[in-house]
């Protein structure tokens, strides 16, 4: 969990109450159960603190924050959430307010950005009042978001600028590094993109981010209307637009690879610091113009998400008998806006604040009700009943059935890694890579782990290779996932559960592998069909085998497994004696027969 250091005196002042170390430790212990899992890690008041600029560093409270609560990664979030829970402050009403002239700032996105970081979002904090403490907290929150949600700036990068030093409209472009020239933050010398990479390659802070764009033919860059560089995301901002304690209007831009996360980051940042604007909790939106990918919109979107939760579900899971009004009161303490539903007495209408991106399901709402009620106050009883029923996924249950049968037939299960080298997955099996099959790692650390396997065979053969000094025959099997590219899905890939077995011995073992196939198919209640039983005539359901010419196997010694199930015919696998070149690639001396089946067709 991330640890946040907050000023002790400032936090107690914001909470409206002074605490001794023991009292605050007790309060944090109470909140660990009652609030959101925060835990006092350290109080530096009684320890030696460094002297900075002639002054001793103020005493700090170091507090551990739950990994899902991005809204509490700063002093502002911690104090606000604690005060809402204690009933000292109402939940804020975040509002979008246009500038006085009615003209929104805009960012026009160029199509070339698709090659590097396709998404951008932004906002303006108008008439904000910084103090030194607030300014440092503003910078620290950006760092925390970069390290956690933004995954070391790989997914999202934040840029903040003094709006009075630049002039909109802004453009988001992707250009060759030699064509980008500006003075980086806190520097005096102008550099182009290539020179900047060389300048910062040994920098302890920024050097670790250079790899994100260093090898790209184009770098992302944000310009204002005068062609002044605002930032080179995700590396550094320009010195021209840097913010200070005296900045009054802050222009925030976020570039990203992940559309969902960029909206979460911008919402968290403006929600936490809009309280310091002249009109608290107001944010000035900006317009994103991105016609090439239909991402033209106004950001940020601070509209609370509307959902419903079942009263019976909450009560069953918590062992309580709360009515809708009581549930709404508990949710109010957790910064929700909730009311009993007008359509059903068993429903509660819930408005989720824009800061709670971690709330995805009514189980999250149920958890917050339990937190507000107090985990220590929940009735204690033997768990004779539960609001949930545990049961295996069908694909896992099927895998366990096949796994049990193979083990009972005398085969040993192995569990190799799902990653392998490109050669092991393709050329060592005499297979060609069409570029549309395997999921490849963008930045593999070693040659051994370059792709996600598309077959279970490489793992089985490597296992045999490492154990070939044992007595033969060696009979091993695996039931696990392989992965394939699938552009039709949002994640552009899919998993598929396979069963594979390999026989290694002085004889080919083809008949043994064939016997295992028959046993598995019999157990799955699929009969073997012969031509006499209507293979070429009536549509009899079952499986049959046909000779196949597969370069992985010895010519004339391989067969595809065909299945007719629910009137649908398909090839579900292949078995045979491996080709001698495959054996040489995996350094195996004796013949090997293998079988591989796709189990998901039986679901």
């Amino acid at each position: 969990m991330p640890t946040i250091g907050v000023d002790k005196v400032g936090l107690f002042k914001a909470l409206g109450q002074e605490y001794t170390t023991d009292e605050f430790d007790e309060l944090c212990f109470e909140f660990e159960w009652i609030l959101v899992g925060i835990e006092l890690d350290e109080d530096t008041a009684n320890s030696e603190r460094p002297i900075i600029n002639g002054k001793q560093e103020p005493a700090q409270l170091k507090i551990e924050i739950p990994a899902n609560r991005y809204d509490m990664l700063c002093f502002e979030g911690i104090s606000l959430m604690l005060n809402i829970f204690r009933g000292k402050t109402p939940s804020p009403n975040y509002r979008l307010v246009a500038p006085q002239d009615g003209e929104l700032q805009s960012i026009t996105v160029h199509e070339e950005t698709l090659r590097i970081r396709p998404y951008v979002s932004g906002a303006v904090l108008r008439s904000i009042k910084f103090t030194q403490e607030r300014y440092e907290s503003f910078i620290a929150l950006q760092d925390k978001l970069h390290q956690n949600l933004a995954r070391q700036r790989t997914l999202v990068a934040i840029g903040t600028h003094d709006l009075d030093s630049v002039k909109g409209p802004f453009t988001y472009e992707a250009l060759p590094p030699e064509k980008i020239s500006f003075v980086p933050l806190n520097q005096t010398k102008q550099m182009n993109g290539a020179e900047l990479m060389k300048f910062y390659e040994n920098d302890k802070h920024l050097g670790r981010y250079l790899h994100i764009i260093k090898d790209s033919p184009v770098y992302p860059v944000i310009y204002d209307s005068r062609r002044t560089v605002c930032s080179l995301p995700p590396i550094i901002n320009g010195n021209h637009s840097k913010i200070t304690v005296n900045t009054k209007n802050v222009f925030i831009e976020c570039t990203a690879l992940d559309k969902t996360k960029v909206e979460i980051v911008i919402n968290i940042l403006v929600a936490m610091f809009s309280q310091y604007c002249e009109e608290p909790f107001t944010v000035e939106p900006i317009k994103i113009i991105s016609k090439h990918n239909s991402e033209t919109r106004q950001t940020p979107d601070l509209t609370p998400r509307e959902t419903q939760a079942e009263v019976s579900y909450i009560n069953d899971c918590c062992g309580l008998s709360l009515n809708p009004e009581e549930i709404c009161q508990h949710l109010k303490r957790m910064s929700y806006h909730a009311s009993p539903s007008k359509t059903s007495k068993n429903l509660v209408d819930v408005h989720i604040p824009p800061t709670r991106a971690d709330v995805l399901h009514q189980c999250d709402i149920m958890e917050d009700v339990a937190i507000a009620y107090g985990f220590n106050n929940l009735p204690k009883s033997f768990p004779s009943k539960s609001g949930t029923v545990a049961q295996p996924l069908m694909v896992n249950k099927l895998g366990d059935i096949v796994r049990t049968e193979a083990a009972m037939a005398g085969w040993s299960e192995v569990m190799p890694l799902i990653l392998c080298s490109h050669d092991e997955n393709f050329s060592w099996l005499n297979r060609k890579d069409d570029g549309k099959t395997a999921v490849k790692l963008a930045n593999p650390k070693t040659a051994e782990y370059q792709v996600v396997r598309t077959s279970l065979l490489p793992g089985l053969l490597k296992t045999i290779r490492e154990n070939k000094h044992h007595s033969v025959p060696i009979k091993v099997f695996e039931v696990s996932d392989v992965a394939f590219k699938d552009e039709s899905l949002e994640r552009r890939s899919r998993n598929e559960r396979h069963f594979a077995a390999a026989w290694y011995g002085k004889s080919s073992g083809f008949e043994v592998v064939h016997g295992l196939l028959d046993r598995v198919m019999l157990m799955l209640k699929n009969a073997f069909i012969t031509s006499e039983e209507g293979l070429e005539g009536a549509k009899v359901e079952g499986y049959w085998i046909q000779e196949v010419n597969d370069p992985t196997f010895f010519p004339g010694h391989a067969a595809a497994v065909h299945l007719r199930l629910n009137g649908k015919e398909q090839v579900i696998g292949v078995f045979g004696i491996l080709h001698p070149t495959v054996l040489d690639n995996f350094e195996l001396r004796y013949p090997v027969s293998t079988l591989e089946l796709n189990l998901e067709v039986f679901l």
Side-chain angles (χ1 to χ4, degrees):
M1 296 190 295
T3 300
I4 310 301
V6 297
D7 179 61
K8 181 178 180 180
V9 175
L11 181 60
F12 290 170
K13 183 179 179 180
L15 295 178
Q17 185 174 346
E18 293 290 332
Y19 297 92
T20 66
T21 300
D22 291 338
E23 288 173 341
F24 192 75
D25 187 50
E26 183 66 26
L27 177 65
C28 283
F29 178 77
E30 177 186 359
F31 283 140
E32 182 180 355
W33 293 101
I34 298 179
L35 187 56
V36 287
I38 67 172
E39 179 181 350
L40 179 63
D41 188 55
E42 182 183 356
D43 182 354
T44 64
N46 300 321
S47 59
E48 187 175 345
R49 305 190 300 277
I51 296 176
I52 302 175
N53 296 328
K55 293 183 179 180
Q56 190 175 38
E57 182 186 69
Q60 285 194 331
L61 298 172
K62 295 185 178 180
I63 304 174
E64 289 188 1
I65 303 297
N68 63 314
R69 291 303 299 267
Y70 307 115
D71 57 323
M72 297 186 68
L73 289 174
C74 60
F75 170 91
E76 289 71 18
I78 293 173
S79 59
L80 179 63
M81 293 303 120
L82 290 176
N83 279 328
I84 292 174
F85 181 83
R86 296 161 66 232
K88 303 291 185 180
T89 303
S91 298
N93 178 27
Y94 301 104
R95 296 184 298 117
L96 297 180
V97 178
Q100 292 182 352
D101 60 6
E103 187 70 25
L104 296 181
Q105 297 289 348
S106 66
I107 301 178
T108 301
V109 184
H110 289 204
E111 188 173 358
E112 292 78 11
T113 56
L114 290 174
R115 302 172 61 185
I116 182 72
R117 295 174 81 84
Y119 301 111
V120 67
S121 186
V124 173
L125 293 178
R126 185 76 68 172
S127 301
I128 192 170
K129 186 176 181 181
F130 280 128
T131 63
Q132 186 63 36
E133 293 75 18
R134 294 173 182 178
Y135 173 79
E136 291 175 357
S137 181
F138 186 59
I139 301 301
L141 176 58
Q142 295 176 55
D143 287 338
K144 290 294 183 182
L145 290 172
H146 277 149
Q147 301 308 313
N148 294 278
L149 183 62
R151 296 292 187 270
Q152 303 286 342
R153 302 192 189 184
T154 56
L155 298 181
V156 183
I158 308 168
T160 53
H161 313 277
D162 187 337
L163 184 59
D164 297 326
S165 67
V166 290
K167 181 177 177 57
F170 301 89
T171 58
Y172 176 42
E173 307 175 23
L175 300 173
E178 294 78 12
K179 293 186 178 181
I180 303 171
S181 183
F182 68 105
V183 178
L185 185 65
N186 297 326
Q187 300 296 326
T188 57
K189 179 184 176 182
Q190 184 161 309
M191 313 176 194
N192 63 32
E195 292 170 339
L196 183 142
M197 289 292 167
K198 187 172 182 61
F199 181 80
Y200 284 110
E201 63 183 359
N202 295 320
D203 188 277
K204 292 182 179 179
H205 175 60
L206 295 178
R208 54 183 165 169
Y209 305 123
L210 300 184
H211 71 91
I212 302 174
I213 63 170
K214 186 175 184 179
D215 296 327
S216 173
V218 292
Y219 289 178
V221 60
I222 292 182
Y223 287 104
D224 74 349
S225 60
R226 301 176 183 139
R227 301 300 288 175
T228 300
V229 172
C230 296
S231 68
L232 182 77
I235 309 302
I236 197 168
N237 294 340
N239 192 64
H240 179 84
S241 60
K242 73 175 181 180
I243 65 171
T244 66
V245 176
N246 300 318
T247 298
K248 299 299 181 184
N249 301 303
V250 179
F251 168 59
I252 305 171
E253 43 83 8
C254 296
T255 59
L257 293 174
D258 189 302
K259 181 182 176 182
T260 301
K261 284 186 170 57
V262 74
E263 302 300 348
I264 294 174
V265 167
I266 196 71
N267 286 352
I268 294 294
L269 197 57
V270 299
M272 293 300 101
F273 285 88
S274 59
Q275 59 184 289
Y276 298 137
C277 291
E278 189 174 50
E279 189 176 352
F281 302 112
T282 60
V283 180
E284 181 180 315
I286 68 172
K287 187 175 182 180
I288 306 297
I289 304 172
S290 185
K291 297 179 181 179
H292 61 277
N293 58 356
S294 302
E295 289 295 334
T296 298
R297 66 198 188 281
Q298 180 177 290
T299 65
D301 182 4
L302 298 178
T303 306
R305 290 180 289 138
E306 297 181 6
T307 187
Q308 291 182 318
E310 297 174 342
V311 174
S312 59
Y313 173 81
I314 293 173
N315 284 327
D316 286 345
C317 291
C318 298
L320 301 173
S321 300
L322 301 176
N323 59 44
E325 290 76 13
E326 291 173 324
I327 290 176
C328 292
Q329 286 301 313
H330 287 302
L331 289 175
K332 183 179 178 181
R333 300 177 68 193
M334 301 301 292
S335 195
Y336 293 89
H337 293 280
S339 60
S341 175
K342 296 179 180 180
T343 60
S344 172
K345 294 182 179 180
N346 191 43
L347 293 176
V348 174
D349 295 328
V350 182
H351 290 75
I352 304 169
T355 55
R356 293 299 304 276
D358 59 301
V359 179
L360 304 175
H361 186 270
Q362 70 170 345
C363 67
D364 299 307
I365 297 172
M366 175 273 296
E367 181 186 16
D368 279 342
V369 171
I371 290 170
Y373 186 88
F375 283 132
N376 280 347
N377 299 326
L378 294 175
K380 298 177 176 65
S381 62
F382 187 80
S384 58
K385 63 177 183 178
S386 172
T388 60
V389 178
Q391 56 183 341
L393 295 173
M394 292 304 297
V395 67
N396 290 337
K397 187 173 182 179
L398 175 62
D400 287 342
I401 293 172
V402 174
R403 186 178 286 113
T404 300
E405 288 298 325
M408 292 174 65
W411 295 69
S412 301
E413 184 179 11
V414 297
M415 300 178 67
L417 300 176
I418 195 170
L419 298 179
C420 63
S421 74
H422 185 275
D423 286 344
E424 290 168 351
N425 196 72
F426 290 105
S427 63
W428 285 16
L429 295 176
N430 293 338
R431 295 174 179 174
K432 294 182 179 179
D433 181 11
D434 60 4
K436 301 178 181 179
T437 304
V439 177
K440 301 177 183 178
L441 274 65
N443 187 29
K445 297 302 181 183
T446 69
E448 287 184 283
Y449 310 118
Q450 296 173 315
V451 300
V452 183
R453 63 187 179 185
T454 59
S455 168
L456 299 181
L457 297 186
L460 292 178
L461 296 178
K462 287 194 293 182
T463 301
I464 295 174
R465 180 186 65 194
E466 300 304 320
N467 293 275
K468 60 186 179 182
H469 58 280
H470 290 289
S471 60
V472 293
I474 295 176
K475 300 189 295 181
V476 293
F477 77 93
E478 182 184 8
V479 180
S480 191
D481 281 358
V482 296
F484 299 97
K485 283 185 179 179
D486 191 337
E487 296 294 336
S488 65
L489 301 178
E490 181 184 6
R491 60 185 181 273
R492 297 183 181 180
S493 64
R494 60 181 171 85
N495 283 20
E496 196 171 272
R497 187 64 54 88
H498 279 202
F499 164 71
W503 163 286
Y504 174 74
K506 295 182 179 180
S507 63
S508 69
F510 181 85
E511 70 285 355
V512 181
V513 171
H514 193 173
L516 179 62
L517 167 66
D518 291 340
R519 175 58 189 167
V520 170
M521 297 302 288
L522 177 63
M523 175 269 305
L524 293 174
K525 297 184 179 180
N526 287 276
F528 183 71
I529 306 174
T530 65
S531 57
E532 291 79 9
E533 294 172 321
L535 179 59
E536 299 176 356
K539 300 298 182 180
V540 178
E541 293 201 343
Y543 76 98
W544 68 95
I545 61 175
Q546 289 183 359
E547 184 178 343
V548 65
N549 185 19
D550 188 324
T552 301
F553 300 98
F554 198 79
H557 292 75
V561 182
H562 293 253
L563 176 69
R564 184 184 295 126
L565 188 63
N566 298 324
K568 183 180 179 181
E569 295 182 11
Q570 54 187 312
V571 176
I572 65 169
V574 64
F575 72 103
I577 304 173
L578 292 183
H579 197 280
T581 58
V582 175
L583 300 180
D584 288 341
N585 291 331
F586 287 94
E587 302 174 11
L588 301 177
R589 297 178 298 169
Y590 297 134
V592 177
S593 290
T594 63
L595 161 70
E596 184 165 12
L597 298 176
N598 175 14
L599 294 181
E600 295 195 4
V601 298
F602 298 102
L603 294 177

